[in-house]
Amino acid sequence: MKIRKSSSKRLPPLQAQLERDTYVTMKNKTKNQESDSDLEENVIDAVTSKRIMKAVKKQQEEIFDEENKSSKDKMEMPAVFESTMAVDSDNEVDDEWSDYEDENANTIDPQEEQIFNQFVSGIQADQLVDRINLPQTEAAKNSNLHPKIVQVYSKVGLLLSRYKSGKLPKAFKVIPSLKNWESVLALTNPMEWTPHAVYEATRIFASNLNARMSQVFYFNILLEHVRINIKETSKLNVHLYNALKKSVYKPAAFFKGIILPLVEDQCTLREATIVGSVITKVSIPVLHSSAALLKLAEMDYSPACSIFIKCLLDKKYAMPFQVIDSLVYHFARFANDSRELPVLWHQAFLVFCQRYKDDLTDEQKEVLLSLAGKKEHYLISKEIKRELTQSATSRMQQ
């Protein structure tokens, strides 16, 4: 018997069919890719390629020339001053802040000011700038600095005289790290800086200088700007006010470079009130405040001294007994003074009794009660006597 063969093709095995269905084949793939590459190659013709190569060659020549020029400049000028106008990202200062104006500073009683004049021999405000305002050319002559450095920092000073907001040059920020930073700083003509620049400079110098160097900066630059601004406008620019707050970062320099010189120079009531408000708003270590109170109590009296003493006493520190004893002597020495004491003195006396009545000895309380009877104020003296008599304990009993 013959077996009839089928004319249809035999199917492949099942495994082969599964493998074939797993992978999708793309027909004419290579052909399409080759056609696309041909199109891309035909986009740029020979003329355009020649122009591109010519432009690239020209740019390479310019870069080579600039590198040679910069290498020559590095030999003429120290590396610190290469990036003169380079800047980094600092906090920008808004130009739209309003000026600081203290209500108490602008409302001064004429009678109180007359009493104030009895203690003040007069301040020569016109000579404030003469303390450090040397001409820029003279400062350049006296300093043995490289001419390139003089040129760089003269331009930095011109920028600071117009500065409002934004970033500062790196050349200015390296001044605190220089050995002769005072000479370099004088080249920038600090008395021509804007209040915005003074604030930024105070931030930099307070953070990077030690207490002694910061004191020089505070006294010669920051204090002069503050006093001149108050004299011209009867208030203080908000940027200078914030600069004073930043200066407390170095408390010793703040007291030695700003507070004590103000008292020694017999500053005005307005100046003392505005600067004193900084003390009340900023936290100050107790040891620095105690040392400042000790020094203020020993200085010749002025109404500004009472303002600063009152501001420090209002911070309610736990003072050493030595400071309390010096303050008792400070008030008691006016028992035989024939002058009429200002209200500021009575206010400071009252605050002292309120805060530290429990730290006084019985003898000290008797002395202060006798003083309150001799130097009497129709409102404040009653409160002083009440505070001293109603104090339950004394230092000896403790």
mmCIF file of all heavy atoms in Angstrom, residues 280-326:
data_model
loop_
_atom_site.group_PDB
_atom_site.id
_atom_site.type_symbol
_atom_site.label_atom_id
_atom_site.label_comp_id
_atom_site.label_asym_id
_atom_site.label_seq_id
_atom_site.Cartn_x
_atom_site.Cartn_y
_atom_site.Cartn_z
ATOM 1 N N THR A 280 19.721 97.373 74.060
ATOM 2 C CA THR A 280 18.492 96.729 74.552
ATOM 3 C C THR A 280 17.990 95.653 73.606
ATOM 4 O O THR A 280 17.292 94.731 74.046
ATOM 5 C CB THR A 280 17.394 97.790 74.738
ATOM 6 O OG1 THR A 280 17.111 98.418 73.481
ATOM 7 C CG2 THR A 280 17.839 98.848 75.732
ATOM 8 N N LYS A 281 18.328 95.718 72.324
ATOM 9 C CA LYS A 281 17.780 94.786 71.335
ATOM 10 C C LYS A 281 18.676 93.587 71.060
ATOM 11 O O LYS A 281 18.215 92.607 70.481
ATOM 12 C CB LYS A 281 17.510 95.518 70.017
ATOM 13 C CG LYS A 281 16.403 96.555 70.113
ATOM 14 C CD LYS A 281 16.164 97.217 68.774
ATOM 15 C CE LYS A 281 15.039 98.249 68.869
ATOM 16 N NZ LYS A 281 14.774 98.900 67.571
ATOM 17 N N VAL A 282 19.948 93.671 71.439
ATOM 18 C CA VAL A 282 20.906 92.629 71.094
ATOM 19 C C VAL A 282 21.403 91.968 72.374
ATOM 20 O O VAL A 282 21.635 92.638 73.379
ATOM 21 C CB VAL A 282 22.094 93.204 70.293
ATOM 22 C CG1 VAL A 282 23.066 92.099 69.909
ATOM 23 C CG2 VAL A 282 21.593 93.905 69.038
ATOM 24 N N SER A 283 21.557 90.663 72.320
ATOM 25 C CA SER A 283 22.069 89.925 73.471
ATOM 26 C C SER A 283 23.571 90.135 73.602
ATOM 27 O O SER A 283 24.317 90.013 72.622
ATOM 28 C CB SER A 283 21.760 88.432 73.300
ATOM 29 O OG SER A 283 22.305 87.691 74.349
ATOM 30 N N ILE A 284 24.012 90.448 74.821
ATOM 31 C CA ILE A 284 25.420 90.704 75.113
ATOM 32 C C ILE A 284 25.833 89.832 76.292
ATOM 33 O O ILE A 284 25.090 89.745 77.278
ATOM 34 C CB ILE A 284 25.663 92.195 75.435
ATOM 35 C CG1 ILE A 284 25.151 93.078 74.287
ATOM 36 C CG2 ILE A 284 27.142 92.470 75.673
ATOM 37 C CD1 ILE A 284 25.228 94.559 74.577
ATOM 38 N N PRO A 285 26.991 89.187 76.258
ATOM 39 C CA PRO A 285 27.433 88.360 77.384
ATOM 40 C C PRO A 285 27.546 89.167 78.671
ATOM 41 O O PRO A 285 27.883 90.349 78.667
ATOM 42 C CB PRO A 285 28.799 87.837 76.922
ATOM 43 C CG PRO A 285 28.748 87.893 75.436
ATOM 44 C CD PRO A 285 27.903 89.085 75.102
ATOM 45 N N VAL A 286 27.257 88.513 79.786
ATOM 46 C CA VAL A 286 27.190 89.210 81.066
ATOM 47 C C VAL A 286 28.554 89.744 81.490
ATOM 48 O O VAL A 286 28.641 90.826 82.107
ATOM 49 C CB VAL A 286 26.599 88.266 82.145
ATOM 50 C CG1 VAL A 286 27.469 87.022 82.314
ATOM 51 C CG2 VAL A 286 26.443 88.978 83.472
ATOM 52 N N LEU A 287 29.623 89.032 81.180
ATOM 53 C CA LEU A 287 30.941 89.497 81.605
ATOM 54 C C LEU A 287 31.323 90.790 80.905
ATOM 55 O O LEU A 287 31.890 91.703 81.525
ATOM 56 C CB LEU A 287 31.986 88.415 81.338
ATOM 57 C CG LEU A 287 31.861 87.140 82.190
ATOM 58 C CD1 LEU A 287 32.930 86.128 81.811
ATOM 59 C CD2 LEU A 287 31.965 87.492 83.667
ATOM 60 N N HIS A 288 31.034 90.896 79.628
ATOM 61 C CA HIS A 288 31.340 92.127 78.890
ATOM 62 C C HIS A 288 30.470 93.284 79.383
ATOM 63 O O HIS A 288 30.948 94.413 79.523
ATOM 64 C CB HIS A 288 31.130 91.901 77.398
ATOM 65 C CG HIS A 288 32.102 90.941 76.788
ATOM 66 N ND1 HIS A 288 33.404 91.286 76.488
ATOM 67 C CD2 HIS A 288 31.971 89.633 76.437
ATOM 68 C CE1 HIS A 288 34.027 90.245 75.960
ATOM 69 N NE2 HIS A 288 33.176 89.234 75.913
ATOM 70 N N SER A 289 29.209 93.005 79.660
ATOM 71 C CA SER A 289 28.329 94.050 80.173
ATOM 72 C C SER A 289 28.767 94.496 81.564
ATOM 73 O O SER A 289 28.716 95.684 81.888
ATOM 74 C CB SER A 289 26.883 93.543 80.206
ATOM 75 O OG SER A 289 26.440 93.201 78.918
ATOM 76 N N SER A 290 29.196 93.561 82.406
ATOM 77 C CA SER A 290 29.670 93.914 83.747
ATOM 78 C C SER A 290 30.911 94.787 83.670
ATOM 79 O O SER A 290 31.037 95.780 84.415
ATOM 80 C CB SER A 290 29.961 92.640 84.537
ATOM 81 O OG SER A 290 28.810 91.841 84.659
ATOM 82 N N ALA A 291 31.829 94.438 82.792
ATOM 83 C CA ALA A 291 33.038 95.249 82.636
ATOM 84 C C ALA A 291 32.699 96.646 82.127
ATOM 85 O O ALA A 291 33.297 97.642 82.567
ATOM 86 C CB ALA A 291 34.004 94.559 81.678
ATOM 87 N N ALA A 292 31.730 96.732 81.209
ATOM 88 C CA ALA A 292 31.331 98.048 80.698
ATOM 89 C C ALA A 292 30.673 98.882 81.788
ATOM 90 O O ALA A 292 30.933 100.090 81.908
ATOM 91 C CB ALA A 292 30.384 97.873 79.516
ATOM 92 N N LEU A 293 29.819 98.272 82.608
ATOM 93 C CA LEU A 293 29.193 99.000 83.714
ATOM 94 C C LEU A 293 30.227 99.476 84.720
ATOM 95 O O LEU A 293 30.140 100.598 85.251
ATOM 96 C CB LEU A 293 28.172 98.099 84.411
ATOM 97 C CG LEU A 293 26.769 98.047 83.794
ATOM 98 C CD1 LEU A 293 25.930 96.975 84.474
ATOM 99 C CD2 LEU A 293 26.085 99.403 83.900
ATOM 100 N N LEU A 294 31.204 98.642 85.000
ATOM 101 C CA LEU A 294 32.263 99.025 85.931
ATOM 102 C C LEU A 294 33.034 100.236 85.422
ATOM 103 O O LEU A 294 33.367 101.152 86.181
ATOM 104 C CB LEU A 294 33.197 97.835 86.137
ATOM 105 C CG LEU A 294 34.204 97.912 87.290
ATOM 106 C CD1 LEU A 294 33.484 97.997 88.619
ATOM 107 C CD2 LEU A 294 35.139 96.719 87.247
ATOM 108 N N LYS A 295 33.295 100.255 84.124
ATOM 109 C CA LYS A 295 34.022 101.379 83.532
ATOM 110 C C LYS A 295 33.148 102.631 83.476
ATOM 111 O O LYS A 295 33.630 103.741 83.770
ATOM 112 C CB LYS A 295 34.478 100.985 82.123
ATOM 113 C CG LYS A 295 35.296 102.044 81.423
ATOM 114 C CD LYS A 295 36.610 102.295 82.142
ATOM 115 C CE LYS A 295 37.449 103.329 81.391
ATOM 116 N NZ LYS A 295 38.698 103.650 82.134
ATOM 117 N N LEU A 296 31.869 102.483 83.123
ATOM 118 C CA LEU A 296 30.972 103.632 83.058
ATOM 119 C C LEU A 296 30.777 104.264 84.436
ATOM 120 O O LEU A 296 30.662 105.495 84.559
ATOM 121 C CB LEU A 296 29.622 103.217 82.477
ATOM 122 C CG LEU A 296 29.578 102.871 80.992
ATOM 123 C CD1 LEU A 296 28.237 102.255 80.625
ATOM 124 C CD2 LEU A 296 29.842 104.111 80.146
ATOM 125 N N ALA A 297 30.737 103.435 85.475
ATOM 126 C CA ALA A 297 30.542 103.963 86.833
ATOM 127 C C ALA A 297 31.747 104.770 87.308
ATOM 128 O O ALA A 297 31.606 105.663 88.146
ATOM 129 C CB ALA A 297 30.273 102.815 87.797
ATOM 130 N N GLU A 298 32.921 104.487 86.779
ATOM 131 C CA GLU A 298 34.130 105.190 87.201
ATOM 132 C C GLU A 298 34.420 106.433 86.373
ATOM 133 O O GLU A 298 35.279 107.230 86.749
ATOM 134 C CB GLU A 298 35.328 104.235 87.119
ATOM 135 C CG GLU A 298 35.231 103.043 88.064
ATOM 136 C CD GLU A 298 36.332 102.036 87.832
ATOM 137 O OE1 GLU A 298 37.094 102.227 86.852
ATOM 138 O OE2 GLU A 298 36.438 101.071 88.615
ATOM 139 N N MET A 299 33.746 106.593 85.241
ATOM 140 C CA MET A 299 34.026 107.728 84.348
ATOM 141 C C MET A 299 33.355 108.996 84.868
ATOM 142 O O MET A 299 32.446 108.951 85.710
ATOM 143 C CB MET A 299 33.530 107.406 82.935
ATOM 144 C CG MET A 299 34.249 106.259 82.271
ATOM 145 S SD MET A 299 33.553 105.825 80.659
ATOM 146 C CE MET A 299 33.946 107.316 79.740
ATOM 147 N N ASP A 300 33.839 110.131 84.361
ATOM 148 C CA ASP A 300 33.202 111.412 84.681
ATOM 149 C C ASP A 300 31.766 111.393 84.161
ATOM 150 O O ASP A 300 31.498 110.942 83.046
ATOM 151 C CB ASP A 300 33.973 112.562 84.041
ATOM 152 C CG ASP A 300 35.358 112.715 84.648
ATOM 153 O OD1 ASP A 300 35.542 112.277 85.811
ATOM 154 O OD2 ASP A 300 36.253 113.251 83.963
ATOM 155 N N TYR A 301 30.874 111.938 84.977
ATOM 156 C CA TYR A 301 29.459 111.806 84.643
ATOM 157 C C TYR A 301 29.051 112.684 83.469
ATOM 158 O O TYR A 301 29.520 113.812 83.302
ATOM 159 C CB TYR A 301 28.585 112.154 85.851
ATOM 160 C CG TYR A 301 27.109 112.057 85.535
ATOM 161 C CD1 TYR A 301 26.492 110.828 85.420
ATOM 162 C CD2 TYR A 301 26.350 113.210 85.305
ATOM 163 C CE1 TYR A 301 25.147 110.727 85.108
ATOM 164 C CE2 TYR A 301 25.007 113.112 84.997
ATOM 165 C CZ TYR A 301 24.414 111.870 84.893
ATOM 166 O OH TYR A 301 23.090 111.776 84.570
ATOM 167 N N SER A 302 28.156 112.123 82.676
ATOM 168 C CA SER A 302 27.456 112.853 81.623
ATOM 169 C C SER A 302 26.092 112.201 81.468
ATOM 170 O O SER A 302 25.920 111.019 81.793
ATOM 171 C CB SER A 302 28.229 112.818 80.299
ATOM 172 O OG SER A 302 28.267 111.501 79.789
ATOM 173 N N PRO A 303 25.075 112.924 80.999
ATOM 174 C CA PRO A 303 23.756 112.307 80.816
ATOM 175 C C PRO A 303 23.775 111.084 79.916
ATOM 176 O O PRO A 303 22.980 110.155 80.103
ATOM 177 C CB PRO A 303 22.930 113.443 80.213
ATOM 178 C CG PRO A 303 23.573 114.683 80.718
ATOM 179 C CD PRO A 303 25.040 114.378 80.774
ATOM 180 N N ALA A 304 24.680 111.067 78.921
ATOM 181 C CA ALA A 304 24.794 109.879 78.063
ATOM 182 C C ALA A 304 25.212 108.662 78.872
ATOM 183 O O ALA A 304 24.799 107.531 78.583
ATOM 184 C CB ALA A 304 25.791 110.137 76.942
ATOM 185 N N CYS A 305 26.019 108.900 79.920
ATOM 186 C CA CYS A 305 26.444 107.799 80.786
ATOM 187 C C CYS A 305 25.233 107.166 81.472
ATOM 188 O O CYS A 305 25.156 105.934 81.603
ATOM 189 C CB CYS A 305 27.444 108.330 81.806
ATOM 190 S SG CYS A 305 28.197 107.066 82.820
ATOM 191 N N SER A 306 24.278 107.973 81.910
ATOM 192 C CA SER A 306 23.078 107.440 82.553
ATOM 193 C C SER A 306 22.238 106.618 81.574
ATOM 194 O O SER A 306 21.623 105.614 81.958
ATOM 195 C CB SER A 306 22.230 108.591 83.111
ATOM 196 O OG SER A 306 22.885 109.214 84.190
ATOM 197 N N ILE A 307 22.200 107.038 80.312
ATOM 198 C CA ILE A 307 21.429 106.296 79.308
ATOM 199 C C ILE A 307 22.002 104.896 79.134
ATOM 200 O O ILE A 307 21.264 103.895 79.130
ATOM 201 C CB ILE A 307 21.405 107.062 77.981
ATOM 202 C CG1 ILE A 307 20.616 108.364 78.125
ATOM 203 C CG2 ILE A 307 20.801 106.200 76.870
ATOM 204 C CD1 ILE A 307 20.608 109.229 76.884
ATOM 205 N N PHE A 308 23.324 104.795 78.988
ATOM 206 C CA PHE A 308 23.942 103.492 78.771
ATOM 207 C C PHE A 308 23.856 102.622 80.026
ATOM 208 O O PHE A 308 23.661 101.402 79.921
ATOM 209 C CB PHE A 308 25.397 103.673 78.343
ATOM 210 C CG PHE A 308 25.551 104.317 76.994
ATOM 211 C CD1 PHE A 308 26.394 105.404 76.812
ATOM 212 C CD2 PHE A 308 24.852 103.846 75.898
ATOM 213 C CE1 PHE A 308 26.528 105.994 75.574
ATOM 214 C CE2 PHE A 308 24.986 104.429 74.651
ATOM 215 C CZ PHE A 308 25.829 105.508 74.489
ATOM 216 N N ILE A 309 23.998 103.217 81.197
ATOM 217 C CA ILE A 309 23.863 102.450 82.434
ATOM 218 C C ILE A 309 22.451 101.894 82.562
ATOM 219 O O ILE A 309 22.249 100.720 82.906
ATOM 220 C CB ILE A 309 24.229 103.328 83.652
ATOM 221 C CG1 ILE A 309 25.729 103.595 83.675
ATOM 222 C CG2 ILE A 309 23.799 102.655 84.945
ATOM 223 C CD1 ILE A 309 26.176 104.520 84.792
ATOM 224 N N LYS A 310 21.459 102.715 82.265
ATOM 225 C CA LYS A 310 20.070 102.263 82.352
ATOM 226 C C LYS A 310 19.794 101.131 81.354
ATOM 227 O O LYS A 310 19.115 100.152 81.682
ATOM 228 C CB LYS A 310 19.134 103.441 82.080
ATOM 229 C CG LYS A 310 17.653 103.095 82.125
ATOM 230 C CD LYS A 310 16.811 104.331 81.905
ATOM 231 C CE LYS A 310 15.333 103.989 81.862
ATOM 232 N NZ LYS A 310 14.988 103.156 80.682
ATOM 233 N N CYS A 311 20.324 101.245 80.132
ATOM 234 C CA CYS A 311 20.102 100.198 79.121
ATOM 235 C C CYS A 311 20.722 98.870 79.554
ATOM 236 O O CYS A 311 20.137 97.800 79.354
ATOM 237 C CB CYS A 311 20.681 100.640 77.777
ATOM 238 S SG CYS A 311 19.801 102.017 77.005
ATOM 239 N N LEU A 312 21.901 98.923 80.172
ATOM 240 C CA LEU A 312 22.553 97.695 80.620
ATOM 241 C C LEU A 312 21.866 97.107 81.846
ATOM 242 O O LEU A 312 21.753 95.879 81.988
ATOM 243 C CB LEU A 312 24.029 97.979 80.916
ATOM 244 C CG LEU A 312 24.918 98.243 79.693
ATOM 245 C CD1 LEU A 312 26.297 98.726 80.117
ATOM 246 C CD2 LEU A 312 25.048 96.983 78.843
ATOM 247 N N LEU A 313 21.386 97.967 82.758
ATOM 248 C CA LEU A 313 20.698 97.466 83.947
ATOM 249 C C LEU A 313 19.358 96.827 83.586
ATOM 250 O O LEU A 313 18.907 95.889 84.258
ATOM 251 C CB LEU A 313 20.480 98.606 84.946
ATOM 252 C CG LEU A 313 21.735 99.173 85.614
ATOM 253 C CD1 LEU A 313 21.371 100.334 86.521
ATOM 254 C CD2 LEU A 313 22.465 98.104 86.414
ATOM 255 N N ASP A 314 18.720 97.321 82.549
ATOM 256 C CA ASP A 314 17.426 96.766 82.135
ATOM 257 C C ASP A 314 17.536 95.354 81.573
ATOM 258 O O ASP A 314 16.514 94.683 81.401
ATOM 259 C CB ASP A 314 16.775 97.675 81.086
ATOM 260 C CG ASP A 314 15.951 98.783 81.735
ATOM 261 O OD1 ASP A 314 15.444 98.566 82.852
ATOM 262 O OD2 ASP A 314 15.822 99.859 81.131
ATOM 263 N N LYS A 315 18.747 94.896 81.283
ATOM 264 C CA LYS A 315 18.922 93.541 80.780
ATOM 265 C C LYS A 315 18.875 92.503 81.901
ATOM 266 O O LYS A 315 18.894 91.304 81.636
ATOM 267 C CB LYS A 315 20.243 93.441 80.006
ATOM 268 C CG LYS A 315 20.278 94.382 78.793
ATOM 269 C CD LYS A 315 21.555 94.235 78.013
ATOM 270 C CE LYS A 315 21.485 93.054 77.075
ATOM 271 N NZ LYS A 315 20.516 93.242 75.991
ATOM 272 N N LYS A 316 18.833 92.971 83.162
ATOM 273 C CA LYS A 316 18.594 92.113 84.335
ATOM 274 C C LYS A 316 19.639 91.004 84.464
ATOM 275 O O LYS A 316 19.314 89.825 84.635
ATOM 276 C CB LYS A 316 17.194 91.498 84.275
ATOM 277 C CG LYS A 316 16.083 92.530 84.200
ATOM 278 C CD LYS A 316 14.723 91.864 84.095
ATOM 279 C CE LYS A 316 13.621 92.897 83.962
ATOM 280 N NZ LYS A 316 12.284 92.291 83.840
ATOM 281 N N TYR A 317 20.912 91.401 84.370
ATOM 282 C CA TYR A 317 21.985 90.437 84.554
ATOM 283 C C TYR A 317 22.186 90.127 86.037
ATOM 284 O O TYR A 317 21.842 90.932 86.912
ATOM 285 C CB TYR A 317 23.302 90.976 83.998
ATOM 286 C CG TYR A 317 23.351 91.068 82.488
ATOM 287 C CD1 TYR A 317 23.533 92.285 81.863
ATOM 288 C CD2 TYR A 317 23.235 89.931 81.705
ATOM 289 C CE1 TYR A 317 23.590 92.376 80.484
ATOM 290 C CE2 TYR A 317 23.288 90.008 80.324
ATOM 291 C CZ TYR A 317 23.467 91.234 79.723
ATOM 292 O OH TYR A 317 23.520 91.306 78.361
ATOM 293 N N ALA A 318 22.765 88.962 86.324
ATOM 294 C CA ALA A 318 23.229 88.647 87.675
ATOM 295 C C ALA A 318 24.649 89.206 87.806
ATOM 296 O O ALA A 318 25.635 88.542 87.482
ATOM 297 C CB ALA A 318 23.206 87.139 87.905
ATOM 298 N N MET A 319 24.740 90.443 88.292
ATOM 299 C CA MET A 319 26.006 91.159 88.319
ATOM 300 C C MET A 319 26.885 90.697 89.488
ATOM 301 O O MET A 319 26.378 90.344 90.557
ATOM 302 C CB MET A 319 25.745 92.661 88.435
ATOM 303 C CG MET A 319 25.044 93.264 87.241
ATOM 304 S SD MET A 319 26.103 93.308 85.795
ATOM 305 C CE MET A 319 24.999 94.120 84.645
ATOM 306 N N PRO A 320 28.195 90.738 89.305
ATOM 307 C CA PRO A 320 29.100 90.518 90.443
ATOM 308 C C PRO A 320 28.949 91.631 91.482
ATOM 309 O O PRO A 320 28.557 92.755 91.159
ATOM 310 C CB PRO A 320 30.491 90.536 89.793
ATOM 311 C CG PRO A 320 30.256 90.282 88.344
ATOM 312 C CD PRO A 320 28.915 90.866 88.031
ATOM 313 N N PHE A 321 29.265 91.324 92.730
ATOM 314 C CA PHE A 321 29.130 92.313 93.803
ATOM 315 C C PHE A 321 30.048 93.516 93.584
ATOM 316 O O PHE A 321 29.729 94.626 94.005
ATOM 317 C CB PHE A 321 29.435 91.662 95.156
ATOM 318 C CG PHE A 321 28.365 90.705 95.605
ATOM 319 C CD1 PHE A 321 28.691 89.559 96.313
ATOM 320 C CD2 PHE A 321 27.030 90.944 95.305
ATOM 321 C CE1 PHE A 321 27.693 88.680 96.723
ATOM 322 C CE2 PHE A 321 26.023 90.078 95.713
ATOM 323 C CZ PHE A 321 26.367 88.940 96.418
ATOM 324 N N GLN A 322 31.162 93.299 92.933
ATOM 325 C CA GLN A 322 32.080 94.408 92.668
ATOM 326 C C GLN A 322 31.417 95.461 91.785
ATOM 327 O O GLN A 322 31.592 96.669 91.995
ATOM 328 C CB GLN A 322 33.357 93.885 92.004
ATOM 329 C CG GLN A 322 34.395 94.964 91.726
ATOM 330 C CD GLN A 322 35.616 94.426 91.004
ATOM 331 O OE1 GLN A 322 35.675 93.222 90.704
ATOM 332 N NE2 GLN A 322 36.574 95.279 90.728
ATOM 333 N N VAL A 323 30.639 95.028 90.791
ATOM 334 C CA VAL A 323 29.943 95.970 89.905
ATOM 335 C C VAL A 323 28.846 96.700 90.680
ATOM 336 O O VAL A 323 28.657 97.910 90.524
ATOM 337 C CB VAL A 323 29.362 95.220 88.694
ATOM 338 C CG1 VAL A 323 28.610 96.177 87.777
ATOM 339 C CG2 VAL A 323 30.468 94.517 87.923
ATOM 340 N N ILE A 324 28.133 95.986 91.539
ATOM 341 C CA ILE A 324 27.067 96.615 92.333
ATOM 342 C C ILE A 324 27.649 97.661 93.280
ATOM 343 O O ILE A 324 27.099 98.764 93.427
ATOM 344 C CB ILE A 324 26.291 95.537 93.106
ATOM 345 C CG1 ILE A 324 25.570 94.610 92.113
ATOM 346 C CG2 ILE A 324 25.285 96.177 94.056
ATOM 347 C CD1 ILE A 324 24.880 93.436 92.759
ATOM 348 N N ASP A 325 28.774 97.349 93.908
ATOM 349 C CA ASP A 325 29.414 98.313 94.811
ATOM 350 C C ASP A 325 29.863 99.561 94.056
ATOM 351 O O ASP A 325 29.716 100.687 94.560
ATOM 352 C CB ASP A 325 30.609 97.666 95.504
ATOM 353 C CG ASP A 325 30.186 96.526 96.430
ATOM 354 O OD1 ASP A 325 28.994 96.496 96.808
ATOM 355 O OD2 ASP A 325 31.032 95.681 96.747
ATOM 356 N N SER A 326 30.400 99.373 92.849
ATOM 357 C CA SER A 326 30.852 100.536 92.072
ATOM 358 C C SER A 326 29.667 101.400 91.637
ATOM 359 O O SER A 326 29.780 102.631 91.584
ATOM 360 C CB SER A 326 31.646 100.068 90.854
ATOM 361 O OG SER A 326 30.808 99.333 89.966
#
